[in-house]
Amino acid sequence: MWWFQQGLCFLPSALVVWSAASFIFSYITAVLLRHIDPLVPYISDTGTIPPERCLFGIMLNISTFLGIATVYVRYKQVYALSPGEPKIARLNTAGFTLGMISCFGLCIIANFQKYSLYYMHVVGACLTFGIGAIYILVQTILSYMMQPNIFWIRVIVLLWCGSSIASMFVSSVLLYSGLYGTDLVRKLHWNPQEKGYIVHIISTISEWSLAFSFLSFFLTYIRDFQKISLRADVSLSGHNVCNTPSSFVADEHTLLIGGRL
């Protein structure tokens, strides 16, 4: 059995690979069509103009689904491992809620492009990366309480994520402060000789760094998910949906997805 066939580890693996592919494919398409500059554009700029906008949107929507599934399985894993720990249970519930909000933010990013609906796009980015960073913090705390062997790896990723957010926030505020011109939101091509170019590059590098810090965090779930499975319990009260005699009862217990917990 291959490693990606063990348990549910294909979920975080698929989330990371698919999300990275959504960034890279839209970037390649936008560069080949000369819609953006090849040197470190904003990730959002790679999904601004059709046809890459369509590709970017549909791929990130699928990433949203994979993210929801991954966050849910992690929640169930922690719940199963520590059913009688109230502090862990509260943190686990908080993490699940934060993860769902972060995934919803990713859906907003996918469907409200920066070029057309900038403020909604920014709301989505804040939910995805801001709330997502708190989700990473909560999961890191849970790792300290339950999985000390993986704790320091997640601490490093958390610090990477935090430094990227700080760098992106400062450079973006400076860039859009008005010192370097107006309507920079719609600016897709930059000349290295322009004022603000260095600040722009710092901001875009920080955004890419932040995105890949998130992907790196979900990579740390792979080993955990190798020992997890989900089961569906189906209770039937009739031979078919139209004929349901009260005396008929049948139970069916199916392994929903392979693996074990």
Side-chain angles (χ1 to χ4, degrees):
M1 178 181 292
W2 296 93
W3 66 269
F4 55 83
Q5 295 177 296
Q6 299 177 23
L8 296 180
C9 71
F10 72 88
L11 269 179
S13 303
L15 173 61
V16 171
V17 172
W18 186 268
S19 299
S22 68
F23 302 150
I24 295 170
F25 288 167
S26 59
Y27 166 80
I28 292 173
T29 305
V31 169
L32 290 177
L33 295 176
R34 299 184 180 179
H35 291 162
I36 59 172
D37 297 325
L39 182 60
V40 202
Y42 281 114
I43 295 176
S44 301
D45 289 346
T46 68
T48 296
I49 301 175
E52 60 268 20
R53 181 172 70 186
C54 307
L55 179 68
F56 185 79
I58 193 170
M59 292 189 74
L60 278 192
N61 281 325
I62 295 173
S63 292
T64 299
F65 170 77
L66 292 172
I68 290 172
T70 301
V71 168
Y72 174 74
V73 171
R74 172 62 178 174
Y75 164 77
K76 295 297 288 184
Q77 179 198 32
V78 173
Y79 178 82
L81 292 174
S82 301
E85 297 288 340
K87 184 180 294 186
I88 291 179
R90 287 193 296 269
L91 280 174
N92 191 32
T93 302
F96 175 73
T97 304
L98 292 168
M100 291 296 109
I101 295 173
S102 180
C103 291
F104 177 68
L106 185 61
C107 186
I108 294 177
I109 290 176
N111 296 285
F112 294 86
Q113 286 77 29
K114 172 186 173 184
Y115 196 81
S116 54
L117 292 166
Y118 174 70
Y119 291 107
M120 280 301 299
H121 189 82
V122 170
V123 169
C126 290
L127 292 177
T128 301
F129 296 119
I131 301 299
I134 303 175
Y135 171 77
I136 292 177
L137 173 61
V138 170
Q139 293 301 325
T140 302
I141 295 172
L142 286 172
S143 299
Y144 175 76
M145 301 171 71
M146 300 174 59
Q147 300 169 284
N149 57 320
I150 198 70
F151 168 69
W152 289 109
I153 296 176
R154 290 176 179 162
V155 166
I156 292 172
V157 175
L158 177 63
L159 293 175
W160 177 12
C161 174
S163 60
S164 297
I165 289 177
S167 174
M168 183 180 173
F169 177 78
V170 172
S171 57
S172 297
V173 168
L174 186 60
L175 183 64
Y176 293 108
S177 64
L179 297 174
Y180 306 108
T182 58
D183 202 25
L184 297 182
V185 172
R186 297 178 176 270
K187 189 177 180 64
L188 298 178
H189 297 279
W190 286 79
N191 189 321
Q193 306 304 321
E194 288 182 278
K195 290 177 60 179
Y197 179 76
I198 298 299
V199 179
H200 165 73
I201 290 296
I202 293 173
S203 181
T204 56
I205 290 175
S206 300
E207 185 184 49
W208 283 90
S209 174
L210 177 59
F212 280 95
S213 70
F214 269 66
L215 298 184
S216 297
F217 176 80
F218 284 107
L219 281 177
T220 67
Y221 279 172
I222 291 177
R223 187 174 180 85
D224 295 340
F225 280 33
Q226 286 179 331
K227 298 181 179 180
I228 299 176
S229 66
L230 294 180
R231 287 186 177 274
D233 295 336
V234 180
S235 296
L236 302 178
S237 56
H239 291 286
N240 54 58
V241 294
C242 298
N243 180 23
T244 56
S246 57
S247 60
F248 179 86
V249 176
D251 293 334
E252 191 269 340
H253 305 280
T254 303
L255 185 63
L256 186 62
I257 305 176
R260 61 191 186 279
L261 177 57

